Amino acid sequence: MAGKQGFTWMDHEPLYSAAETRALDRWAIDHAGISGALLMSRAAAATLEQLLLRWPQPPLLQVLCGTGNNGGDGYLIADRAHRRGIAVQVLQVGDPGRIAGDALLAREQAQANGVTVAPFSPASLQPSAILVDAMLGTGLGGEVRAPFAAAIDACNGGGQPVVAVDIPSGLCSDTGRILGRAVRAELTVTFIGYKRGLFTLDGPDCCGVLEFSDLALPLEACGAVAPGWRRLLLDRMLAQWPGRPANAHKGDCGRVLVVGGDVGMPGAVALAAEAALRSGAGLVRVATRQEHLSALVARTPEAMVTGVRSGQDLQPLLAAADVLVVGPGLGRSSWSQQLLQAVAASDLPCVLDADGLNLLGEGRVLARQPREHWIYTPHPGEAARLLGVTTGIVQGDRFAAAVQLQEQLGGTVVLKGNGSLVVADALRLLSDYGNPGMASGGMGDVLSGIVGGLLAQGLDGAAAAALAVCLHGAAADSAAEQGQRGLLASDLMAPLRRLLG
């Protein structure tokens, strides 16, 4: 196996929290000499431009404005549309007496230029209108309350297309969680920096098509406020990974041992083994139940398959491996526990998934201690068991849960889901590749095999995990071109090979 290689992460897309975005705003005002009013004007221009690209001749714009700066953006959108001869109406949500600062100046400008402003009521929304959501923005700190709750329900219930300004109202920009209710937009135009909540959990469902404008902030702004997370870009990782030399042989490409497949679960190890091979591993062995040998050889003849009865039987296979993938179909029997104990006693890099994670969470087989050369790939339910909390708590703040897991377990943690997260020490990454068709059995087994195959070829833990989650999702996106429903884990193998080729 080659020496460990990582990637350069600074050129991947910065993702910001609400506080970090406010710091960017403040930097622009204090250091770049860009006033808050000018930023608001640029945001309005960017939003209207994107809206008109999709609806060049809107019959009517109805702009729902809140009482903060998001509402100020909305007033300036309405003002620009009115000056272009587009029929527009502002519907004020919330007490206009609370509007202040730049938002108040924007309201006064729109009214002075003849924009019609009326209090919001659900009956105000016209069936032919395009709605602009400029109600709540990134500053929402708790559950949506009246009158915004009724306005959001009306936006979602009328069938009109909705354009969200910066972020759909009701969506938490830090977590991607819906705060009671949230606008379901067809288009979201976000500003200054990408908000991390747009890319995970409920964010993609709420924002629809996502467009971005940096509002002409100078490049220095990116260095002034360090992002807590970065969004992974597959093409940049693939461009950094060198091709194989002409004289490469299978021994150069790493040896993976997949451990699992208890009674009745041979498919999981078969998928993991094939994924490791399709990812480019030179040799893949499978340690499983004796009765599964013929099925595995028939399914994946390129993998070498050995029946094992105990942890002792695993020892010679461990000695011949560079990387371990443990957990697919492992089960929780005494056989499973013996194999996991044997794995833990070795010093090999290990990808731990599925029942391997569940056994770790139970604490009877493995001691809970940091293992720096392990990669853990839990889904939210497994993450909850490891943390001793509910799945709802994990999903309520996936970013915090992933960081907490990595602090407890060491190594690299991949928290799977819509917007998979990769954490390794200070490195915090998000992959938004993938689609709902992946909600089917065996997908996690494929991911663990890809991670193992990339580790075996010389990538370090963080690089292997990051590249694997992107490849996994991108392969599923390619396979889903024929439809998301009915997508199978094995459908990812051919596009995976194409992506790596």
Side-chain angles (χ1 to χ4, degrees):
M1 184 173 67
K4 290 298 181 184
Q5 176 192 337
F7 292 134
T8 301
W9 304 109
M10 291 298 291
D11 59 348
H12 291 256
E13 197 72 66
L15 295 178
Y16 296 99
S17 66
E20 290 162 351
T21 305
R22 286 193 294 272
L24 283 171
D25 279 344
R26 179 48 52 192
W27 187 92
I29 293 168
D30 293 345
H31 299 280
I34 304 172
S35 68
L38 181 56
L39 289 173
M40 196 172 282
S41 177
R42 290 176 179 177
T47 304
L48 187 59
E49 176 186 2
Q50 290 297 330
L51 186 155
L52 294 176
L53 284 174
R54 286 159 180 79
W55 299 279
Q57 295 180 313
L60 172 66
L61 296 186
Q62 290 188 300
V63 186
L64 286 77
C65 291
T67 58
N69 282 346
N70 197 242
D73 295 338
Y75 272 105
L76 292 186
I77 291 168
D79 181 50
R80 283 179 171 271
H82 177 71
R83 286 188 279 118
R84 294 182 63 155
I86 298 169
V88 63
Q89 179 189 35
V90 168
L91 299 175
Q92 177 63 55
V93 186
D95 179 8
R98 299 181 60 190
I99 303 174
D102 293 329
L104 180 58
L105 293 175
R107 174 183 167 92
E108 291 172 346
Q109 175 181 319
Q111 289 180 308
N113 288 335
V115 173
T116 301
V117 180
F120 165 80
S121 74
S124 303
L125 299 185
Q126 299 299 308
S128 63
I130 294 169
L131 307 182
V132 178
D133 163 29
M135 291 184 281
L136 293 174
T138 62
L140 184 63
E143 299 286 297
V144 174
R145 298 191 297 250
F148 296 97
I152 290 172
D153 289 344
C155 285
N156 291 339
Q160 301 96 330
V162 182
V163 178
V165 179
D166 202 23
I167 190 168
S169 291
L171 181 71
C172 178
S173 65
D174 285 355
T175 66
R177 180 170 65 92
I178 291 175
L179 297 170
R181 48 177 42 84
V183 164
R184 301 273 177 162
E186 190 166 326
L187 167 68
T188 297
V189 185
T190 198
F191 319 121
I192 301 287
Y194 280 112
K195 287 75 185 171
R196 66 194 197 192
L198 294 172
F199 296 96
T200 193
L201 196 61
D202 302 311
D205 283 330
C206 289
C207 73
V209 175
L210 181 63
E211 297 291 349
F212 172 71
S213 173
D214 63 7
L215 305 188
L217 257 65
L219 291 176
E220 293 86 343
C222 295
V225 180
W229 292 78
R230 289 187 180 271
R231 177 188 176 205
L232 291 164
L233 302 172
L234 176 58
D235 58 344
R236 297 188 183 179
M237 285 184 286
L238 291 176
Q240 290 183 52
W241 200 16
R244 290 180 176 177
N247 66 346
H249 60 84
K250 60 188 177 185
D252 295 332
C253 300
R255 302 167 298 173
V256 177
L257 174 61
V258 180
V259 180
D262 203 350
V263 175
M265 295 185 282
V269 282
L271 287 167
E274 184 175 355
L277 286 163
R278 290 296 187 189
S279 301
L283 290 166
V284 176
R285 292 180 170 86
V286 178
T288 189
R289 288 282 192 178
Q290 183 75 28
E291 54 265 40
H292 296 155
L293 298 189
S294 58
L296 286 170
V297 170
R299 175 70 175 82
T300 311
E302 298 85 355
M304 295 170 284
V305 187
T306 302
V308 294
R309 294 166 296 179
S310 66
Q312 185 174 356
D313 289 349
L314 199 59
Q315 294 303 323
L317 302 178
L318 293 170
D322 298 316
V323 171
L324 306 177
V325 175
V326 182
L330 181 65
R332 303 191 203 183
S333 65
S334 59
W335 176 85
S336 316
Q337 294 176 34
Q338 285 188 52
L339 298 189
L340 187 55
Q341 287 171 336
V343 163
S346 78
D347 60 357
L348 292 171
C350 177
V351 182
L352 193 68
D353 187 34
D355 277 326
L357 294 165
N358 291 325
L359 287 171
L360 175 62
E362 291 173 2
R364 294 184 293 107
V365 180
L366 294 185
R368 291 289 293 270
Q369 63 187 44
R371 292 178 170 86
E372 297 307 318
H373 56 297
W374 282 31
I375 298 177
Y376 307 86
T377 59
H379 59 54
E382 291 159 349
R385 288 189 282 276
L386 287 165
L387 291 172
V389 298
T390 65
T391 303
I393 289 176
V394 169
Q395 293 290 74
D397 192 340
R398 289 170 50 79
F399 297 94
V403 170
Q404 187 178 355
L405 272 174
Q406 197 279 331
E407 290 173 348
Q408 291 186 13
L409 301 176
T412 300
V413 166
V414 177
L415 179 56
K416 296 182 289 194
N418 189 19
S420 291
L421 305 177
V422 179
V423 181
D425 294 326
L427 193 64
R428 299 175 182 185
L429 307 166
L430 179 149
S431 168
D432 63 327
Y433 298 93
N435 63 80
M438 300 174 75
S440 63
M443 288 290 177
D445 304 317
V446 171
L447 176 61
S448 64
I450 298 172
V451 179
L454 299 178
L455 270 178
Q457 293 171 81
L459 292 181
D460 63 34
L467 180 54
V469 294
C470 293
L471 287 168
H472 187 238
D477 289 339
S478 177
E481 291 173 4
Q482 300 176 39
Q484 292 181 2
R485 293 187 190 273
L487 183 67
L488 300 181
S490 55
D491 294 336
L492 272 60
M493 301 302 177
L496 171 63
R497 184 185 176 199
R498 287 196 298 271
L499 285 164
L500 282 167

